[in-house]
Amino acid sequence: MKAFAVSLLGWVLVPLVALAQQSAPADLNTITRISVNGGTVEITGSKKPDFNSFTMTDPPRLVLDVSGAVFQGVDEEQPVGNGTVTGIRTATYGTESASIARILIGYEREVETDIQSSGNTLVVKVLGGGGAAVAANTPAQPQGTAAAGNAPTGANAQDAARAAASDREAQEKAARAAADAARADREAQEKAAAEAAARAKADADTERQKQEEARLASQRQDAERRASEEAAVAERKRQEEDARVAAKRAEDERRATEQAAAEAKRQQQEQAQASAKNTQEQQRAAAQAAAEEKRAAAQAAAEEKRAAAQAAAEAKRQQQEQAQASAQARREEQQQARVAAAEAKRQQAQEARERRQERTVASRATPSRAPSQGSAARARGGGQTSSRRKTMTLVGFQQQPDSSRVFVRTNEAVAYNVSESGNQVVLELENTRVVESNNTLPLDTHFFPSAVTRVEAFAGAGNTVRVVIQLRQGVRYQTRQDGGLITLDFPRPGR
């Protein structure tokens, strides 16, 4: 009987089995627990329940419809079988706010129930333990049978017949009442099913309308999104093009800056190298002179003292002359700058032609000169030069494989004279001055395998500078001028 009753619990719920439990929106009553304790069933939700109820027979059951509710974490079928409740089934139909949560409670027999809500909990209790209902549904024994067993001896047959007729009438009345109750039950079930179908259809129509509205809204959103994306793509392309142009401009500026920095660095390096080379040459010449002076100190003490005194006097004189020459040069330069401002362009062009002519003249070697025997010989060079006062910046000596070179550097090409007398060659620079006193220090070169033993420069008469070259013996030499550089090459002795 229990198994049969449990199998019939879902008869009313068959049209709704396909509607599964779903997660509850925030505004619905979410039923999360159904518990059974004897004849009491407690249904717990998230809100106070709004419900309708009706009973069904064959088998006995109670149906509860909770409006605006869904299940969460509650089984669709919960067998019980505790002597009063056979089992519980759940189902949900409708959508969104029209959702209805149905709870069907099956009983072992016809019972009377008390349904009350306590806060968010719906409590269903069985009243009176159900005993009266059991007695009412127990078939009555035929009175004739009972009379046969209990009637006193000697009862007449007429009383028995009346009792039997009365019993039959009672049974027929009970059968008619059961048939009427079954018919009313079926009608209620059909009405409930029709109402559920109508509600389901209305919910479906509402859902389709909402879906159509959602589809149209989605189409509008898609169109707006595509338009927005196209605008964003166009804007992104424009920004990328602007960024590319800006990056190219920045890269060009960076390269130009790097090239300028590299060129400036290269020029600084060249200047530093030239300055270092000049300093090294001067230091080397000074070291050589110091070594020679130490070696010859014992032999030429008197000469050194005289030379020192003469050099001191000469240095003092030269310093005075240099100071006067510097002041005079500044005055002359200022005057020339004021006077020759208009002639600057013409002079620059003329100087360019002169430099070309000077390089042409300097490229030809001055004819070798044979040593004179006690007589003086003079040669002039330099061609056309500017009228500005020149400055001698360096006097140096270089030992080469086959010759020795004495070189004089000036700030620009100068006119010069070369004269020789015995073992001495004199280079005289016209319209030239010496600014740095280091350039007047003598260069002692006698310890080299060279015809040159000493080189010394000092300010001469007027605005001239004399470079005196002392030789071991008279030899042929060659003179060249290249811009601001004058060189005298002397072959090594014995060649």
Side-chain angles (χ1 to χ4, degrees), residues 152-169:
T153 304
N156 57 38
Q158 186 177 1
D159 293 336
R162 284 195 300 269
S166 178
D167 189 25
R168 283 193 301 271
E169 290 176 359

PDB file of all heavy atoms in Angstrom, residues 152-169:
ATOM      1  N   PRO A 152     -28.671 -13.450  21.310  1.00  0.00           N
ATOM      2  CA  PRO A 152     -29.086 -14.509  22.244  1.00  0.00           C
ATOM      3  C   PRO A 152     -29.860 -15.600  21.517  1.00  0.00           C
ATOM      4  O   PRO A 152     -30.445 -15.368  20.454  1.00  0.00           O
ATOM      5  CB  PRO A 152     -29.952 -13.744  23.242  1.00  0.00           C
ATOM      6  CG  PRO A 152     -30.418 -12.525  22.508  1.00  0.00           C
ATOM      7  CD  PRO A 152     -29.354 -12.166  21.573  1.00  0.00           C
ATOM      8  N   THR A 153     -29.797 -16.701  22.076  1.00  0.00           N
ATOM      9  CA  THR A 153     -30.476 -17.858  21.488  1.00  0.00           C
ATOM     10  C   THR A 153     -31.972 -17.618  21.487  1.00  0.00           C
ATOM     11  O   THR A 153     -32.540 -17.099  22.423  1.00  0.00           O
ATOM     12  CB  THR A 153     -30.169 -19.124  22.301  1.00  0.00           C
ATOM     13  OG1 THR A 153     -28.763 -19.249  22.346  1.00  0.00           O
ATOM     14  CG2 THR A 153     -30.769 -20.344  21.658  1.00  0.00           C
ATOM     15  N   GLY A 154     -32.598 -17.914  20.342  1.00  0.00           N
ATOM     16  CA  GLY A 154     -34.037 -17.754  20.232  1.00  0.00           C
ATOM     17  C   GLY A 154     -34.437 -16.498  19.505  1.00  0.00           C
ATOM     18  O   GLY A 154     -35.628 -16.210  19.402  1.00  0.00           O
ATOM     19  N   ALA A 155     -33.416 -15.566  18.940  1.00  0.00           N
ATOM     20  CA  ALA A 155     -33.793 -14.377  18.147  1.00  0.00           C
ATOM     21  C   ALA A 155     -34.463 -14.840  16.899  1.00  0.00           C
ATOM     22  O   ALA A 155     -34.013 -15.776  16.242  1.00  0.00           O
ATOM     23  CB  ALA A 155     -32.557 -13.535  17.844  1.00  0.00           C
ATOM     24  N   ASN A 156     -35.414 -14.087  16.490  1.00  0.00           N
ATOM     25  CA  ASN A 156     -36.181 -14.540  15.338  1.00  0.00           C
ATOM     26  C   ASN A 156     -35.539 -14.093  14.049  1.00  0.00           C
ATOM     27  O   ASN A 156     -34.750 -13.151  14.007  1.00  0.00           O
ATOM     28  CB  ASN A 156     -37.631 -14.075  15.456  1.00  0.00           C
ATOM     29  CG  ASN A 156     -37.714 -12.547  15.604  1.00  0.00           C
ATOM     30  OD1 ASN A 156     -36.968 -11.840  14.981  1.00  0.00           O
ATOM     31  ND2 ASN A 156     -38.634 -12.071  16.429  1.00  0.00           N
ATOM     32  N   ALA A 157     -35.903 -14.711  12.980  1.00  0.00           N
ATOM     33  CA  ALA A 157     -35.328 -14.464  11.648  1.00  0.00           C
ATOM     34  C   ALA A 157     -35.717 -13.102  11.121  1.00  0.00           C
ATOM     35  O   ALA A 157     -35.011 -12.487  10.338  1.00  0.00           O
ATOM     36  CB  ALA A 157     -35.796 -15.582  10.682  1.00  0.00           C
ATOM     37  N   GLN A 158     -36.807 -12.572  11.539  1.00  0.00           N
ATOM     38  CA  GLN A 158     -37.257 -11.269  11.037  1.00  0.00           C
ATOM     39  C   GLN A 158     -36.317 -10.162  11.473  1.00  0.00           C
ATOM     40  O   GLN A 158     -35.983  -9.270  10.706  1.00  0.00           O
ATOM     41  CB  GLN A 158     -38.671 -10.999  11.551  1.00  0.00           C
ATOM     42  CG  GLN A 158     -39.278  -9.723  10.956  1.00  0.00           C
ATOM     43  CD  GLN A 158     -40.705  -9.503  11.424  1.00  0.00           C
ATOM     44  OE1 GLN A 158     -41.246 -10.305  12.228  1.00  0.00           O
ATOM     45  NE2 GLN A 158     -41.333  -8.470  10.914  1.00  0.00           N
ATOM     46  N   ASP A 159     -35.880 -10.211  12.730  1.00  0.00           N
ATOM     47  CA  ASP A 159     -34.925  -9.187  13.201  1.00  0.00           C
ATOM     48  C   ASP A 159     -33.624  -9.259  12.425  1.00  0.00           C
ATOM     49  O   ASP A 159     -33.017  -8.232  12.096  1.00  0.00           O
ATOM     50  CB  ASP A 159     -34.663  -9.389  14.700  1.00  0.00           C
ATOM     51  CG  ASP A 159     -35.902  -9.088  15.532  1.00  0.00           C
ATOM     52  OD1 ASP A 159     -36.754  -8.306  15.031  1.00  0.00           O
ATOM     53  OD2 ASP A 159     -35.940  -9.559  16.657  1.00  0.00           O
ATOM     54  N   ALA A 160     -33.194 -10.504  12.126  1.00  0.00           N
ATOM     55  CA  ALA A 160     -31.951 -10.662  11.355  1.00  0.00           C
ATOM     56  C   ALA A 160     -32.115 -10.090   9.972  1.00  0.00           C
ATOM     57  O   ALA A 160     -31.200  -9.453   9.421  1.00  0.00           O
ATOM     58  CB  ALA A 160     -31.566 -12.140  11.292  1.00  0.00           C
ATOM     59  N   ALA A 161     -33.235 -10.280   9.322  1.00  0.00           N
ATOM     60  CA  ALA A 161     -33.432  -9.763   7.972  1.00  0.00           C
ATOM     61  C   ALA A 161     -33.432  -8.244   7.986  1.00  0.00           C
ATOM     62  O   ALA A 161     -32.875  -7.593   7.097  1.00  0.00           O
ATOM     63  CB  ALA A 161     -34.754 -10.306   7.403  1.00  0.00           C
ATOM     64  N   ARG A 162     -34.103  -7.651   9.010  1.00  0.00           N
ATOM     65  CA  ARG A 162     -34.094  -6.195   9.068  1.00  0.00           C
ATOM     66  C   ARG A 162     -32.679  -5.634   9.268  1.00  0.00           C
ATOM     67  O   ARG A 162     -32.300  -4.634   8.674  1.00  0.00           O
ATOM     68  CB  ARG A 162     -35.026  -5.728  10.215  1.00  0.00           C
ATOM     69  CG  ARG A 162     -36.501  -5.834   9.856  1.00  0.00           C
ATOM     70  CD  ARG A 162     -37.329  -5.014  10.855  1.00  0.00           C
ATOM     71  NE  ARG A 162     -37.152  -5.493  12.223  1.00  0.00           N
ATOM     72  CZ  ARG A 162     -37.940  -6.428  12.759  1.00  0.00           C
ATOM     73  NH1 ARG A 162     -38.899  -7.016  12.064  1.00  0.00           N
ATOM     74  NH2 ARG A 162     -37.759  -6.795  14.008  1.00  0.00           N
ATOM     75  N   ALA A 163     -31.906  -6.311  10.094  1.00  0.00           N
ATOM     76  CA  ALA A 163     -30.515  -5.860  10.322  1.00  0.00           C
ATOM     77  C   ALA A 163     -29.681  -5.938   9.050  1.00  0.00           C
ATOM     78  O   ALA A 163     -28.883  -5.061   8.733  1.00  0.00           O
ATOM     79  CB  ALA A 163     -29.875  -6.677  11.428  1.00  0.00           C
ATOM     80  N   ALA A 164     -29.887  -7.049   8.292  1.00  0.00           N
ATOM     81  CA  ALA A 164     -29.133  -7.208   7.039  1.00  0.00           C
ATOM     82  C   ALA A 164     -29.514  -6.130   6.048  1.00  0.00           C
ATOM     83  O   ALA A 164     -28.665  -5.545   5.348  1.00  0.00           O
ATOM     84  CB  ALA A 164     -29.367  -8.595   6.473  1.00  0.00           C
ATOM     85  N   ALA A 165     -30.845  -5.827   5.957  1.00  0.00           N
ATOM     86  CA  ALA A 165     -31.273  -4.787   5.021  1.00  0.00           C
ATOM     87  C   ALA A 165     -30.704  -3.429   5.418  1.00  0.00           C
ATOM     88  O   ALA A 165     -30.268  -2.648   4.570  1.00  0.00           O
ATOM     89  CB  ALA A 165     -32.805  -4.759   4.984  1.00  0.00           C
ATOM     90  N   SER A 166     -30.736  -3.166   6.706  1.00  0.00           N
ATOM     91  CA  SER A 166     -30.165  -1.890   7.173  1.00  0.00           C
ATOM     92  C   SER A 166     -28.680  -1.789   6.863  1.00  0.00           C
ATOM     93  O   SER A 166     -28.163  -0.727   6.476  1.00  0.00           O
ATOM     94  CB  SER A 166     -30.420  -1.744   8.678  1.00  0.00           C
ATOM     95  OG  SER A 166     -29.834  -0.548   9.156  1.00  0.00           O
ATOM     96  N   ASP A 167     -27.978  -2.919   7.007  1.00  0.00           N
ATOM     97  CA  ASP A 167     -26.523  -2.930   6.720  1.00  0.00           C
ATOM     98  C   ASP A 167     -26.264  -2.672   5.255  1.00  0.00           C
ATOM     99  O   ASP A 167     -25.361  -1.918   4.870  1.00  0.00           O
ATOM    100  CB  ASP A 167     -25.943  -4.267   7.167  1.00  0.00           C
ATOM    101  CG  ASP A 167     -24.438  -4.269   7.105  1.00  0.00           C
ATOM    102  OD1 ASP A 167     -23.822  -3.142   7.189  1.00  0.00           O
ATOM    103  OD2 ASP A 167     -23.821  -5.325   6.992  1.00  0.00           O
ATOM    104  N   ARG A 168     -27.089  -3.322   4.385  1.00  0.00           N
ATOM    105  CA  ARG A 168     -26.889  -3.098   2.949  1.00  0.00           C
ATOM    106  C   ARG A 168     -27.127  -1.632   2.595  1.00  0.00           C
ATOM    107  O   ARG A 168     -26.397  -1.030   1.787  1.00  0.00           O
ATOM    108  CB  ARG A 168     -27.831  -3.992   2.150  1.00  0.00           C
ATOM    109  CG  ARG A 168     -27.364  -5.449   2.097  1.00  0.00           C
ATOM    110  CD  ARG A 168     -28.135  -6.212   1.037  1.00  0.00           C
ATOM    111  NE  ARG A 168     -29.564  -6.192   1.305  1.00  0.00           N
ATOM    112  CZ  ARG A 168     -30.194  -7.106   2.058  1.00  0.00           C
ATOM    113  NH1 ARG A 168     -29.514  -8.086   2.660  1.00  0.00           N
ATOM    114  NH2 ARG A 168     -31.507  -7.038   2.263  1.00  0.00           N
ATOM    115  N   GLU A 169     -28.150  -1.025   3.161  1.00  0.00           N
ATOM    116  CA  GLU A 169     -28.418   0.386   2.862  1.00  0.00           C
ATOM    117  C   GLU A 169     -27.252   1.281   3.296  1.00  0.00           C
ATOM    118  O   GLU A 169     -26.874   2.219   2.599  1.00  0.00           O
ATOM    119  CB  GLU A 169     -29.710   0.809   3.570  1.00  0.00           C
ATOM    120  CG  GLU A 169     -30.963   0.192   2.990  1.00  0.00           C
ATOM    121  CD  GLU A 169     -32.209   0.570   3.783  1.00  0.00           C
ATOM    122  OE1 GLU A 169     -32.040   1.298   4.799  1.00  0.00           O
ATOM    123  OE2 GLU A 169     -33.294   0.162   3.390  1.00  0.00           O
TER     124      GLU A 169
END
